[in-house]
Amino acid sequence: MNEMLINSAFFGVVITLVCYEIGAWVKRKTNFVLANPLLIAVLLIVAFLLVFQVDYEAYENGAKYIQYFLTPATVSLAIPLYRRLELLKKYPAAIFVGIGAGVLTAMVSIFLMSLIFGLTHTQYVTLLPKSITTAIALGMSEKQGGIIGLTVVSVSITGILGNVAAESICKLFRIQEPIAKGLAIGTSAHALGTAKAMELGEVEGAMSSLSIVVAGIMTVVAIQVFAGLI
């Protein structure tokens, strides 16, 4: 491809947005559970870079500007929570215990899998923050000496799987309570899961938004304990 085009400031942004819009179009047309816009966008971007032999660094130089919107986008998730604040006041114990159970499950599962597969300390701490939002996960991974690039991948995969499978899992285990759905999805699959929770309902979205914040704080504390176990 044209070198000037590839090296332009917003080349990566354009490619990313185009691929995501294609993914969103496929989702609208098919409504297939695996037709996740983000998953489709990732696959299309990888294919594009391989076919046109574009270096990842060249793509990332432009695409990095999208990251600037990550924090405000995460903060904006507080809006549906504010609209349903009465639920937090009504069921505080159940909500915080539920989120805590989810965080503990994530920590223990990574610890056990790391033992089973013989992961090193670096690999272990890289995966520990996989279930929280990227904005927090990156900082925790870097602080603990993890591999930031792999942390991003693990967080993305966790979110995509949560977005794709959340509704089916709730149906499989007959989870019908909106609050329970939102807490489970937000705690396990952060912002991408919350996008699915908002599709399920306003209560689910609000509880999932709350879970992102609380789970993030709890995970920061829990990692201080679990990081030293391997």
Side-chain angles (χ1 to χ4, degrees):
M1 294 189 68
N2 185 283
E3 287 294 329
M4 183 176 296
L5 176 62
I6 293 177
N7 293 322
S8 63
F10 298 103
F11 170 77
V13 173
V14 173
I15 295 301
T16 301
L17 294 179
V18 169
C19 290
Y20 184 84
E21 283 301 316
I22 293 175
W25 178 81
V26 172
K27 176 65 175 179
R28 289 195 299 269
K29 290 296 182 180
T30 64
N31 200 30
F32 182 49
V33 66
L34 293 180
N36 181 274
L38 181 59
L39 177 59
I40 294 174
V42 169
L43 295 176
L44 288 177
I45 291 170
V46 171
F48 177 88
L49 298 181
L50 291 175
V51 170
F52 292 99
Q53 298 183 341
V54 177
D55 290 336
Y56 175 76
E57 289 74 14
Y59 162 76
E60 199 271 339
N61 283 337
K64 66 183 179 182
Y65 295 106
I66 296 179
Q67 298 179 17
Y68 297 155
F69 297 96
L70 181 61
T71 299
T74 302
V75 172
S76 69
L77 294 175
I79 296 175
L81 172 61
Y82 176 77
R83 292 173 177 169
R84 290 287 182 169
L85 196 59
E86 73 277 1
L87 294 176
L88 176 58
K89 296 178 180 178
K90 189 175 182 180
Y91 307 107
I95 289 173
F96 285 101
V97 170
I99 297 174
V103 170
L104 184 61
T105 299
M107 296 289 103
V108 172
S109 63
I110 291 298
F111 171 69
L112 293 178
M113 286 190 290
S114 296
L115 290 179
I116 293 172
F117 293 103
L119 300 186
T120 64
H121 173 76
T122 299
Q123 295 166 336
Y124 169 59
V125 296
T126 295
L127 298 176
L128 275 180
K130 70 172 183 63
S131 295
I132 57 177
T133 182
T134 307
I136 302 176
L138 293 184
M140 292 309 303
S141 178
E142 183 177 17
K143 181 179 179 180
Q144 297 298 331
I147 305 170
I148 295 179
L150 291 182
T151 298
V152 173
V153 172
S154 66
V155 170
S156 299
I157 292 176
T158 300
I160 291 173
L161 289 176
N163 186 290
V164 170
E167 187 172 6
S168 298
I169 291 176
C170 288
K171 289 180 179 179
L172 177 64
F173 290 96
R174 299 180 181 179
I175 302 174
Q176 299 178 345
E177 171 57 50
I179 296 178
K181 287 182 181 180
L183 294 177
I185 295 172
T187 302
S188 60
H190 50 81
L192 292 178
T194 299
K196 170 57 69 174
M198 289 181 172
E199 293 179 12
L200 298 179
E202 186 177 357
V203 174
E204 289 90 332
M207 291 299 99
S208 189
S209 300
L210 170 65
S211 298
I212 293 177
V213 178
V214 178
I217 295 173
M218 288 183 175
T219 300
V220 168
V221 176
I223 285 180
Q224 310 303 318
V225 177
F226 278 85
L229 299 181
I230 292 182

